[in-house]
Amino acid sequence: KEVVSCSGRQTYHDDMAKILYTEAVISQRVAELGRQIAQDYQGKAPLVLGVLKGSFMFFSDLVRAIEPCPRGLTLDFIRASSYGSGTESTGEVKLKADLKLEKVEGRHVLLVEDIVDTALTITTVSRYLLEECGAASVATATLLDKHERRKLVYRPEYVGFLCPNEFVVGYGLDFNEEYRTIPYIGVLKPECYSHLGIEAPEPDGSGESSD
Ligand code: 5GP
Ligand code: MG
Ligand code: MG
């Protein structure tokens, strides 16, 4: 299969219209969040739960920054997919996890998300943990908070950056599964969407997306 970048450019970096958060800026903010979380969760043996896929890079940096690490801290992952047609999510969020109920019951859960946008995903996940799995508490650490686009009221406890209302990629965040490995966060050039015959996406992408 031939690999074509938008407009025939060589690398993902060439597809960026602008960089919003550099590697250095992200790394400094993640360190601050980690210290704060370490303080807040001492003595609570937290279960740190990454919401796949978008959070994988933030997750691995954040857990290393939780210093001093509270005793009893453990990790797991949950996968959330939103289904939609066109450029808007229907608001239906599907969860996949191999979390055993007893693993969550009574635990203080810290959800790790890449971005909270409409808040449909994080609301679904946190309700599931509280109502069906018996979590003692659920809090959210999100790298980005696109607060202007909320459909549900949700205020994450730990926010890396308040994000402008633009579709962003990099540092785990994808467009069409691409760009996840870029170590900074940026906005794509408009032609990166038009060469696929689509308009710049609304932040939930089109069709089924594994976030
Ligand atoms: P929600 O609207 O449910 O709060 O966000 C759902 C998911 O959509 C996020 O976890 C994230 O994976 C994806 N998403 C929202 N905004 C953006 C964005 O600007 N860029 C990318 N790549 N994904 C986004
Ligand atoms: Mg996605
Ligand atoms: Mg996500």
Side-chain angles (χ1 to χ4, degrees):
K1 186 181 149 203
E2 200 190 347
V3 179
V4 193
S5 80
C6 73
S7 313
R9 294 192 188 92
Q10 291 293 307
T11 73
Y12 284 159
H13 303 293
D14 299 327
D15 293 351
M16 295 295 158
K18 61 180 171 187
I19 296 176
L20 293 182
Y21 309 104
T22 63
E23 254 185 287
V25 162
I26 293 170
S27 133
Q28 200 195 336
R29 186 70 188 121
V30 171
E32 287 168 6
L33 290 176
R35 278 194 295 272
Q36 178 80 57
I37 289 165
Q39 270 181 24
D40 295 351
Y41 281 89
Q42 282 308 319
K44 287 190 171 172
L47 170 60
V48 184
L49 198 57
V51 184
L52 293 173
K53 293 186 242 179
S55 75
F56 82 94
M57 204 175 280
F58 176 47
F59 184 94
S60 71
D61 286 343
L62 183 66
V63 291
R64 281 177 287 181
I66 302 179
E67 274 295 336
C69 184
R71 276 207 85 85
L73 182 152
T74 60
L75 313 177
D76 214 324
F77 297 94
I78 190 166
R79 186 147 175 184
S81 315
S82 27
Y83 290 76
S85 54
T87 57
E88 279 290 324
S89 161
T90 57
E92 202 187 315
V93 178
K94 255 195 133 174
L95 302 182
K96 246 192 238 169
D98 68 353
L99 297 165
K100 302 247 167 49
L101 289 183
E102 67 268 24
K103 270 167 81 182
V104 176
E105 195 161 16
R107 298 290 301 274
H108 294 285
V109 179
L110 178 66
L111 286 171
V112 178
E113 255 289 26
D114 50 357
I115 183 164
V116 176
D117 181 27
T118 63
L120 291 170
T121 305
I122 205 70
T123 302
T124 305
V125 174
S126 82
R127 268 194 202 141
Y128 167 74
L129 294 166
L130 285 167
E131 291 167 17
E132 289 182 48
C133 306
S137 70
V138 176
T140 298
T142 188
L143 183 67
L144 302 176
D145 187 353
K146 212 186 267 180
H147 55 108
E148 286 169 48
R149 291 203 3 121
R150 285 295 194 282
K151 287 184 180 156
L152 299 172
V153 177
Y154 194 96
R155 192 172 293 188
E157 284 75 5
Y158 306 94
V159 173
F161 307 99
L162 290 177
C163 181
N165 187 9
E166 290 189 87
F167 190 82
V168 296
V169 298
Y171 198 69
L173 290 142
D174 73 307
F175 171 58
N176 256 356
E177 291 302 324
E178 297 194 298
Y179 305 102
R180 288 194 196 275
T181 55
I182 289 180
Y184 51 83
I185 293 171
V187 177
L188 293 172
K189 293 175 179 166
E191 57 266 37
C192 295
Y193 308 109
S194 55
H195 91 295
L196 293 169
I198 56 174
E199 290 185 19
E202 285 296 314
D204 211 17
S206 57
E208 179 186 341
S209 71
S210 260
D211 301 316

